[in-house]
Amino acid sequence: MEIVDLILFNAEILTMDLDFHSYNPGAIAISGALIEAVGAENEILEKFDAAKKIDCGGKILMPGLINAHTHVPMTLLRGLADDLRLDVWLMGYMMPVEREYVSPDFVQLGTKLACAEMIRSGVTSFADMYYFEEEVAKATAAVGMRAVCSQTVLKFPTPDAQFFEESLEMSRDFISRWKNHDLIIPSVAPHAPYTCTPEILKSTAELAIEYDVPLHIHISETASEVENMRRENQMPVVPYVKKQNLFDAKVLAAHCVHLDEGEIHTLQHFGAGVAHNPSSNMKLASGFAPVKRMLEIGLNVGIGTDGPSSNNDLDMFEELRLASFIQKGYTGDPTALPARTTLLMATRLGAQAMHIGNLTGSLEHGKRADLILLDLTPLHNSPRFRHDPNGTYGQIVYAAKATDVTDVMVNGKWLMVDRILTSLDEPELMIHANEYARKIDQFLIKRESSVLSKLVAIGGTSEEESFEIQAKVRIHHPEIMIKKLLDSDIEIIRKRHFREFDLYFFFADVDQGILRYREDEFLDEQGKIEQVRSRLTLIGPTSEDKFEQEVLLSRSRYLAPATQSPRFYREYFKPHLEKEIEKDRIRYLVRYKDVEFFINFDEIKKPNLGCFLEVKSRTWSRQDAEMKSKLVTELIEFLGADFDEATSEDYIEMVR
Amino acid sequence: MEIVDLILFNAEILTMDLDFHSYNPGAIAISGALIEAVGAENEILEKFDAAKKIDCGGKILMPGLINAHTHVPMTLLRGLADDLRLDVWLMGYMMPVEREYVSPDFVQLGTKLACAEMIRSGVTSFADMYYFEEEVAKATAAVGMRAVCSQTVLKFPTPDAQFFEESLEMSRDFISRWKNHDLIIPSVAPHAPYTCTPEILKSTAELAIEYDVPLHIHISETASEVENMRRENQMPVVPYVKKQNLFDAKVLAAHCVHLDEGEIHTLQHFGAGVAHNPSSNMKLASGFAPVKRMLEIGLNVGIGTDGPSSNNDLDMFEELRLASFIQKGYTGDPTALPARTTLLMATRLGAQAMHIGNLTGSLEHGKRADLILLDLTPLHNSPRFRHDPNGTYGQIVYAAKATDVTDVMVNGKWLMVDRILTSLDEPELMIHANEYARKIDQFLIKRESSVLSKLVAIGGTSEEESFEIQAKVRIHHPEIMIKKLLDSDIEIIRKRHFREFDLYFFFADVDQGILRYREDEFLDEQGKIEQVRSRLTLIGPTSEDKFEQEVLLSRSRYLAPATQSPRFYREYFKPHLEKEIEKDRIRYLVRYKDVEFFINFDEIKKPNLGCFLEVKSRTWSRQDAEMKSKLVTELIEFLGADFDEATSEDYIEMVR
């Protein structure tokens, strides 16, 4: 008799090993963190003895589930914003809130909250990618779960670093300190090809190779990511990252929704793992990943929940079911991704995708004791058929729920016993989580209450309040006036020719002002487009004061470069009403009596409102404004415009 | 103060009424089965008093969920067979098992098991379609749930009727007896256009109209159903059933996966309800229903689980999530089917689709008290954000689980209190369910053990063991022999010219025999195809006995018309190996010395094996066989074939 620490017996064991061995009744012998043996109950009990023997009461005993891609601290952002487009969700909500709130404390709390939920759903290992990743590692190790913890590096400032060099240095420190930890596999995560420079991709790969740790990255999540890559680099995403030597490292590629056949073969060739994220890909409408094909070609494809802010939970039972359903629905083949294959993805293949297949993912001699007990007696599993040996896999994938998990062991230690967590205080976690939620609610309520603060939240404004003196007169023959101007002594500093497309957003609360999205096409002498520029302007009440002859003092508040599409701003700002104007503008910057003025000859083409002369100048004081007001009047008279045709209306006010 | 029977207070109430009123804290006043009033807690408590007041402890109080399409007795078949194609699943497993086991007892037990699971997942009303539907009604009424119970009518024999007239009569009896029941809305269900005759569709519609009850039907579930309809009737499914006056009744159309724009408008025009079944459509790979479009056009679209044998559960929380995810994924628009709309489908719209919107589906004065309490404190719902009033809908649809439902009331009566069912004994139900499962397991294990019994299970065999005497000789000039035959005195009874395509299935256990799928193309004198016939033959060991000159006594066992595709049989019989043969056969039926013989001149074209002469005759006794063996030898000699070229091999044995 060999003596081990622990024997679990009277269980229906699914090993998920290469031959899908199963034993009913089966038993497992465990010494310390390691599995000594798995087999038929009578054989194990004949060969082994232990001080502690546990009767599993006929429950399913199987490897713990592997969550192959997530962002655990984002559990604190669950339900923050739903039903939005990826860019609005990410840049309008996630990133501004993360900039404001993500801290070591946030990350620790979010990780623990996530661990509690994952243990309850039978997860024993996960692959994470976030900021302050060492805090994720600390919290996870304290809880006792196994994880690949990947420190994010990207080309933008992040909550934990101003420049990518800092993140890279943090990654190196983190990896070198945690390299030989029993539960944590430290790793580096260049966030995605489109958020990293080639230099970042190369240097993170070098770091991962130097320490022989996994490299975690988002690959081809959306169609537009792939389109952009093809346009900018004349190749899809996988060859591009291959060019940066990424595959010299042990890569875990999350998503892989939009891959071509060649890219799948490349991933297979280099032994890269894939993390498929069913809920997230559906909820964010990213597309349907070709999982069936990836498996056929021999890729290690695991299943991940992604962050709970795009899921909105960490329930691997849901992901199992959805992974199978999606492949069936998307390939039109109901035999695609049968239950056993799907469960394999969430166990052994997932561990292999994370490059920890030597440690976990199946119940085999020498692997770590990472296992769960599943109680299939609750009514929603009833009845149970036995005629088909694959029936148990079907039961688990298509009918069982996370709440059927009763016990969870990681590395030989129980983390949940009879649905009680051993290493976490859930009520306390929830209290702290809701404290964060209240703070973030306040932040968002304040932000949502003002167009200006929403504008600031998505990238700030480049310029704040500015005042202008301006006059506008309807004209009929701009070419005659232009000739008069050019023939005069007035100094022409610069001439510009634009086509301007303006989209105005109006809000129910008029005090919010009007938000203008303007695209300027700069035209050269031949009328060809030289350059395009997009800007957002939040416009206050048009007129602050009025001088003689309809000369106005106006205020243009808050200018920002428009880095997103009009659609983004529409969905983000949710305007009450929209109007469009298109105009042709010839603009002269002139010096008249030592003062600079802009003279615009505008033709409003859509709607067809005719031609206008505008004269404008920046100002900063009432006295200056009064002086300039006089000069504006002189200039308009000189050019021969008729003050009876002057208007104090902005163009947008003329659009009915 | 108005006195009511019951007040529920301190709840976060979602009414799901037309304006989506919500109250937090809210209260609801109930008298008997009816809702008196819903509103802000202080207003209700000021206006009403009751002997019984219940503090809901801040839980969500909302209308019970509506499962708009299911087959509840099939809960007893959950997990019976998964990962199969619709036809294999239906005709290979569901229908044979149903033929054998479905009885009033089966239906009652399955209904109760389903009710237990549905109550636990917050369902208060459902629309069912099955056999012995009055038993479904009885069980449901005893449990206390609300249901539209639809008696199935179809053109095939069913477990409860040999002919459709019987089902129709059963439907009439059932409807007339239950017409005014407080909980049950009796209804009739012509199963689907492709399983009903036009006469069935018309007569069921007339019945539904006569009694003013809903008519429940499957519409356009699969693409092939629509293709067949277009081919046979030159129109898609909705116009076809419209032609049978179906829409004069109050129709509840399940699935509606493959509809065109015109069909959606037709459904809307006639006020038909739609039941969308997300899990089932995905699991059986039926396709993606255009739910977003149907809602835009104003259809009442509810959500159903379908039967638990294609789902495999009755969890409406899963269906909610999946309904939203599918539309986002399938339309590529993450804003499609936002959480509030999805929850509306599973409540008010579902009730309207079932034509019981006057009774239930929202919390409003005068409607029945069908409601649930949801506890969103379990950790997987944490944290909760409050900044967005739609956040609660998102929480329910994207994060909450069925197990968060704590209390369920139907028609003013509690069916679950603090997760305890009041009207069902779950352990007892599960014991009986597993008794059925054991019986069905035995039936299937026995069946799966033999190719013959699997053949019998899918429609029986038309003919059993038959013996033949036969000889086969390789020849080189069939045309010379044919001329010799025609020039002789031998009487030619009939001539046939075929092209034969044979697909042979081999099994690991050779004693099972070989299954041949043969397609015969009958050719006319011009070589044009006159007719096509498909047959299955289960072939035993080729040779039973051998006479002189390689004349064999052979046995051809079990002949059946092949009503399914080769693909069906491949997936159903799961052969170990397959081989194909294609041949051209000219067959003469002749009378020679008062005995009938078949003389085949075969050219084996695929693989190219050359030409053969076969002479065959049916036999029934050893003496007869010996006599015919001699005549066969004479015939072969007469035709001038060379016995050195005789073979005892079957063609399939020649294929290496």
Side-chain angles (χ1 to χ4, degrees), chain B residues 61-99:
Chain B
L61 192 166
M62 54 173 278
L65 299 176
I66 309 285
N67 184 351
H69 177 68
T70 183
H71 310 281
V72 287
M74 293 182 92
T75 311
L76 279 176
L77 304 180
R78 182 208 314 275
L80 176 72
D82 292 312
D83 301 319
L84 298 174
R85 236 169 277 273
L86 181 64
D87 52 359
V88 179
W89 174 78
L90 193 66
M91 279 171 289
Y93 289 87
M94 292 301 135
M95 285 171 51
V97 169
E98 286 183 329
R99 260 200 302 274

Side-chain angles (χ1 to χ4, degrees), chain A residues 157-182:
Chain A
T158 58
D160 57 357
Q162 268 304 101
F163 302 101
F164 92 87
E165 292 90 343
E166 289 174 49
S167 312
L168 197 65
E169 206 43 45
M170 281 172 76
S171 305
R172 174 180 293 277
D173 282 358
F174 168 50
I175 291 171
S176 64
R177 270 198 301 275
W178 289 75
K179 178 76 182 78
N180 296 307
H181 195 275
D182 210 28

Side-chain angles (χ1 to χ4, degrees), chain A residues 75-80 82-85 113 116-117 279 282-285 288 311-313 315 318 321-322 325-326 328-330 332-335 338-339 377 379-387 394 398-399 401 403 426 430 433-434 437-438 440-441 444-445 571, chain B residues 75-80 82-85 113 116-117 279 282-285 288 311-313 315 318 321-322 325-326 328-330 332-335 338-339 377 379-387 394 398-399 401 403 426 430 433-434 437-438 440-441 444-445 571:
Chain A
T75 311
L76 279 175
L77 304 179
R78 182 208 315 274
L80 177 73
D82 292 312
D83 302 318
L84 299 172
R85 236 168 279 272
L113 198 65
E117 187 179 351
S279 284
M282 292 283 268
K283 185 157 189 281
L284 299 174
F288 303 104
N311 183 309
N312 291 350
D313 56 35
D315 184 338
E318 272 181 35
R321 201 160 309 169
L322 200 53
F325 282 3
I326 288 175
K328 293 176 195 304
Y330 145 72
D333 174 4
T335 71
T377 59
L379 182 126
H380 57 264
N381 299 299
S382 183
R384 283 195 67 197
F385 289 94
R386 301 285 188 180
H387 63 96
Y398 301 127
K401 296 184 196 298
T403 48
E426 289 170 285
M430 290 195 280
N434 277 318
R438 289 299 75 73
I440 295 171
D441 273 337
L444 287 174
I445 288 165
E571 295 185 13
Chain B
T75 311
L76 279 176
L77 304 180
R78 182 208 314 275
L80 176 72
D82 292 312
D83 301 319
L84 298 174
R85 236 169 277 273
L113 198 65
E117 188 180 350
S279 283
M282 292 284 268
K283 185 158 188 283
L284 300 174
F288 304 104
N311 182 308
N312 292 350
D313 57 35
D315 184 338
E318 273 182 36
R321 201 161 309 169
L322 200 52
F325 282 2
I326 288 175
K328 294 176 194 305
Y330 146 72
D333 174 6
T335 70
T377 60
L379 182 128
H380 57 263
N381 299 299
S382 181
R384 284 194 65 198
F385 288 95
R386 302 285 188 180
H387 63 95
Y398 301 127
K401 296 185 197 299
T403 47
E426 289 170 285
M430 290 194 280
N434 277 318
R438 288 299 74 73
I440 295 171
D441 273 337
L444 287 174
I445 287 166
E571 296 186 12

Side-chain angles (χ1 to χ4, degrees), chain A residues 7 74 107 139 142 166 177 234 287 344 396 452 470 497 569 592 626:
Chain A
I7 293 175
M74 294 181 92
V107 165
E166 289 174 49
R177 270 198 301 275
Q234 294 74 51
L344 185 67
I396 293 170
L452 176 58
Q470 65 167 60
H497 185 188
Y569 296 115
Y592 176 68
E626 282 185 7

Side-chain angles (χ1 to χ4, degrees), chain A residues 419-436:
Chain A
R419 295 200 174 86
I420 309 288
L421 301 187
T422 62
S423 57
L424 284 161
D425 180 347
E426 289 170 285
E428 200 196 313
L429 293 177
M430 290 195 280
I431 289 168
H432 290 151
N434 277 318
E435 284 166 4
Y436 267 106

Side-chain angles (χ1 to χ4, degrees), chain A residues 434-500:
Chain A
N434 277 318
E435 284 166 4
Y436 267 106
R438 289 299 75 73
K439 278 190 263 179
I440 295 171
D441 273 337
Q442 288 316 310
F443 168 75
L444 287 174
I445 288 165
K446 194 170 156 219
R447 189 190 84 170
E448 302 285 308
S449 70
S450 138
V451 173
L452 176 58
S453 57
K454 287 189 80 167
L455 187 60
V456 171
I458 53 167
T461 53
S462 61
E463 201 174 310
E464 299 216 344
E465 313 221 13
S466 76
F467 291 85
E468 248 180 5
I469 190 82
Q470 65 167 60
K472 181 185 289 168
V473 186
R474 180 182 290 279
I475 59 176
H476 303 281
H477 300 288
E479 64 287 357
I480 295 173
M481 291 185 187
I482 290 174
K483 189 165 188 311
K484 196 175 268 180
L485 175 66
L486 297 179
D487 289 348
S488 75
D489 294 341
I490 299 169
E491 180 191 352
I492 310 285
I493 301 171
R494 192 170 66 227
K495 179 200 171 189
R496 274 269 162 93
H497 185 188
F498 311 92
R499 215 152 37 209
E500 292 187 326

